[in-house]
Amino acid sequence: MPGSVASIPASDHTEATLGYITEIGRSGITVTGQMDRVNASDVVIGSLVKIRAAHAVIGIVDSMHLDGAPPQRILSIDLLGEIAETPDGTAFHRGVSQPPALGASVCLANAADLTTVYTRPALPSIHIGTLSSNDSQPAYVVVDELLAKHFAVVGSTGSGKSCAVTLILSEILANQPNAHIILLDPHNEYFAAFGDRAEVVSVDRSRLPFWVLDLEEATRILVRGGTEQEAQGIILKDALRLARINYTRSPDAGSWITVDTPVPFLVNDLRRNLVEAMGRLNKSDTASPYRRLEARLDSLVRDARFSFMFGDGFEAEDELSEIVGRLLRIPVAGKPITILDLSGLPAEISDVVVSVTSRLLFDFTLWSDPKERPPILLACEEAHRYLPAHEGIGFAACTRTISRIAREGRKYGLALGLISQRPSDLSLQALSQCGTVFALRLGSDADQRFVGEALPDTGKTMLGALSSLPPQQAVVFGEAVSLPMRVRLKTIPSERRPRSHSARFSEAWQSDSAGVDFREDGIRRWRQHTTT
């Protein structure tokens, strides 16, 4: 048990001393002593303290308890880094070059220390708010570290997660007007957040031709369950490749076109290939998988909801350059962010659209000239849908592509932002690839434990705060910040906030405002699959 500090002489420094080092362990140090009564209430879990050594060592209070008689307040402190003199003044560096000695005095870090620790970095950075413990101390995030090493924003519904995403991206765009950002928006909530800087792409009103899909994505749409799935997949593979070769009409097309090569073909050519292959069968009882594929293809071509993908089946135009240009903002043309509106799409189509988007992004970046390609950020709302914690959940092709961006993207200038209200349903491997995490309130124990796996040792003290964080506050840790910190995020103007999906029942139920016209209009939209 740590001994008494009665024999240790009082500090001759003007700063109020909290105590003295009485024990040094492998994982940190323990400080004991009677706190100054004026400052005792200021010391809480997560407080920064300063220890006198060769350089001023900065630590964070990890735990507190009373011990002995009379009771003495005992602090457990994790060492974070040190403040050293430089030709330009003082600077904070992570890591401790020379640990403090037994008997060294400990005091609260003062305002000047906090300014040194959390000062705006010399590198390009964004201002995201203030320290929650000191609203006069700005909090900054280094942009290149944030993006080059990926980031995640996690928080329960109602914690301010969407506002945090809007703030981060808006601050980036304010300083980088020629950014290339793609934001996947499954609920159409970000359309007003970025004003005229955003290109809002409503998938069901745009063109994403069927020929852009690879075999796995096409199979997701055309092949249905049953005992014939494998047979349908083999048949579709042959019909797709033949359709691509025939449309290209190049004498050597067969030598370089595969079933996944993104070259145009007519949907009706695909249908004809299926019919002709079925006609060559010797036994009619083996035609069932062909009929299933043809019937499914015919039904989708006739379905107005899928017109953005199939058109009328008689046209095929090489739009790949235009599609890539619009998604990736090449050229930027004053709109550095694309918001991909996925609302209203059937689940299986939404999965395929995300798969195609992420695959086009990766493949184009992989094959384009590395000397000229610009860095690109893909921000995924509801990332747990595309990178689930358990295999077999979600669309495997989509998971595989985004996982590849998480693992290899930084080599090609591809950044990934994962956004989720259910981090425990998110792949831990994917989250571990994120160098910086913004954690807002998390009520679930499973979510808190999951985020705790990603927290560095110096941030463990803040894990307990995640269940009680008020809206607009977050714990930020990782490569883009000097130290783990609890921050109060900047307020976004009301006209730039993401649309909230929480109904105000007490206000809405004050009047009988929804009448027959509303009802009839809702029926029309439902039948016509339109939002206008």
Side-chain angles (χ1 to χ4, degrees):
M1 183 181 72
S4 170
V5 297
S7 62
I8 300 178
S11 171
D12 58 359
H13 294 282
T14 57
E15 292 176 304
T17 300
L18 299 176
Y20 305 88
I21 297 177
T22 59
E23 183 177 319
I24 299 176
R26 281 181 290 181
S27 60
I29 61 171
T30 300
V31 177
T32 185
Q34 184 66 46
M35 289 187 183
D36 185 286
R37 292 182 180 180
V38 176
N39 294 312
S41 62
D42 294 336
V43 183
V44 296
I45 302 299
S47 290
L48 289 189
V49 297
K50 181 169 62 177
I51 305 166
R52 304 191 185 284
H55 299 295
V57 175
I58 298 297
I60 188 170
V61 177
D62 178 65
S63 65
M64 304 168 61
H65 68 279
L66 294 175
D67 193 23
Q72 291 182 319
R73 202 178 292 251
I74 297 175
L75 312 178
S76 179
I77 297 171
D78 286 331
L79 303 183
L80 304 176
E82 56 191 19
I83 295 176
E85 296 292 332
T86 70
D88 299 321
T90 58
F92 173 77
H93 303 285
R94 286 185 182 180
V96 179
S97 59
Q98 184 175 339
L102 288 170
S105 61
V106 181
C107 59
L108 273 175
N110 58 32
D113 299 326
L114 292 177
T115 299
T116 300
V117 171
Y118 294 109
T119 190
R120 182 162 200 157
L123 300 170
S125 58
I126 57 174
H127 177 207
I128 60 168
T130 60
L131 298 184
S132 59
S133 59
N134 184 348
D135 58 11
S136 65
Q137 179 58 54
Y140 299 98
V141 173
V142 178
V143 173
D144 289 334
E145 292 294 311
L146 177 73
L147 299 179
K149 299 178 181 177
H150 309 320
F151 69 91
V153 180
V154 297
S156 302
T157 301
S159 63
K161 172 175 53 66
S162 298
C163 285
V165 172
T166 300
L167 171 65
I168 294 166
L169 298 184
S170 295
E171 289 294 316
I172 291 173
L173 293 178
N175 295 285
Q176 283 81 33
N178 292 308
H180 299 265
I181 299 174
I182 304 170
L183 173 59
L184 305 181
D185 185 2
H187 302 299
N188 190 25
E189 58 182 324
Y190 290 98
F191 66 94
F194 302 97
D196 57 8
R197 294 178 297 179
E199 173 83 359
V200 180
V201 177
S202 180
V203 175
D204 58 351
R205 298 181 192 175
S206 303
R207 286 282 295 145
L208 186 66
F210 183 70
W211 59 260
V212 174
L213 277 60
D214 65 13
L215 175 61
E216 193 167 10
E217 293 154 354
T219 301
R220 170 76 164 184
I221 293 177
L222 291 180
V223 175
R224 283 296 167 259
T227 57
E228 299 174 340
Q229 275 186 296
E230 184 177 352
Q232 290 182 62
I234 295 172
I235 294 166
L236 180 60
K237 178 181 179 180
D238 294 337
L240 278 174
R241 182 170 182 268
L242 183 59
R244 296 189 194 276
I245 292 173
N246 288 344
Y247 189 84
T248 305
R249 295 176 183 172
S250 171
D252 65 340
S255 65
W256 61 272
I257 289 182
T258 71
V259 69
D260 295 329
T261 305
V263 296
F265 63 83
L266 294 174
V267 172
N268 276 345
D269 281 353
L270 176 62
R271 180 190 284 120
R272 185 174 62 253
N273 291 341
L274 293 172
V275 172
E276 290 177 353
M278 183 169 52
R280 291 192 293 268
L281 296 175
N282 294 324
K283 298 181 180 180
S284 60
D285 58 356
T286 59
S288 176
Y290 293 88
R291 292 194 187 99
R292 285 180 179 272
L293 279 173
E294 184 193 1
R296 173 65 175 169
L297 182 60
D298 185 64
S299 68
L300 293 178
V301 171
R302 296 172 184 272
D303 192 332
R305 294 176 301 169
F306 297 88
S307 60
F308 72 94
M309 182 173 289
F310 290 97
D312 59 6
F314 293 95
E315 297 180 0
E317 183 179 346
D318 191 350
E319 307 167 73
L320 188 56
S321 180
E322 290 79 5
I323 293 170
V324 168
R326 192 177 187 195
L327 286 176
L328 276 57
R329 305 311 311 145
I330 298 174
V332 175
K335 294 181 181 291
I337 180 171
T338 297
I339 299 175
L340 193 61
D341 176 15
L342 302 169
S343 61
L345 291 178
E348 69 272 19
I349 297 300
S350 176
D351 288 346
V352 169
V353 169
V354 173
S355 178
V356 171
T357 299
S358 54
R359 181 174 54 79
L360 290 179
L361 168 61
F362 188 89
D363 287 347
F364 176 79
T365 305
L366 175 66
W367 292 105
S368 58
D369 186 347
K371 297 177 182 177
E372 297 186 17
R373 66 187 175 210
I376 298 171
L377 166 65
L378 175 64
C380 300
E381 259 284 10
E382 294 205 351
H384 53 273
R385 287 177 51 181
Y386 314 119
L387 291 169
H390 304 290
E391 293 184 6
I393 299 177
F395 182 28
C398 182
T399 299
R400 187 162 49 251
T401 302
I402 300 181
S403 296
R404 190 178 183 189
I405 293 175
R407 294 192 312 271
E408 305 175 30
R410 64 192 66 182
K411 295 187 294 187
Y412 307 106
L414 286 181
L416 185 64
L418 302 180
I419 307 151
S420 177
Q421 69 269 30
R422 302 208 306 265
S424 58
D425 290 342
L426 182 66
S427 164
L428 180 59
Q429 183 180 18
L431 186 64
S432 68
Q433 298 288 338
C434 295
T436 304
V437 176
F438 298 77
L440 291 90
R441 186 181 70 252
L442 291 169
S444 163
D445 289 341
D447 288 339
Q448 292 174 37
R449 288 194 300 271
F450 184 81
V451 173
E453 294 290 329
L455 268 168
D457 291 340
T458 53
K460 298 293 186 185
T461 56
M462 299 182 181
L463 183 61
L466 294 180
S467 62
S468 57
L469 283 176
Q472 209 174 336
Q473 287 199 23
V475 172
V476 186
F477 58 91
E479 300 291 339
V481 293
S482 56
L483 290 177
M485 56 187 180
R486 179 172 167 177
V487 301
R488 180 177 289 105
L489 300 171
K490 289 165 62 174
T491 300
I492 301 172
S494 57
E495 68 274 11
R496 297 287 179 155
R497 292 176 191 168
R499 183 176 63 177
S500 171
H501 291 274
S502 298
R504 296 184 177 275
F505 291 85
S506 59
E507 294 180 12
W509 287 354
Q510 293 299 317
S511 62
D512 187 10
S513 59
V516 174
D517 290 344
F518 166 78
R519 187 183 69 209
E520 295 296 333
D521 183 60
I523 297 295
R524 177 188 63 81
R525 292 174 181 228
W526 178 12
R527 285 174 172 165
Q528 298 178 5
H529 300 287
T530 179
T531 57
T532 59

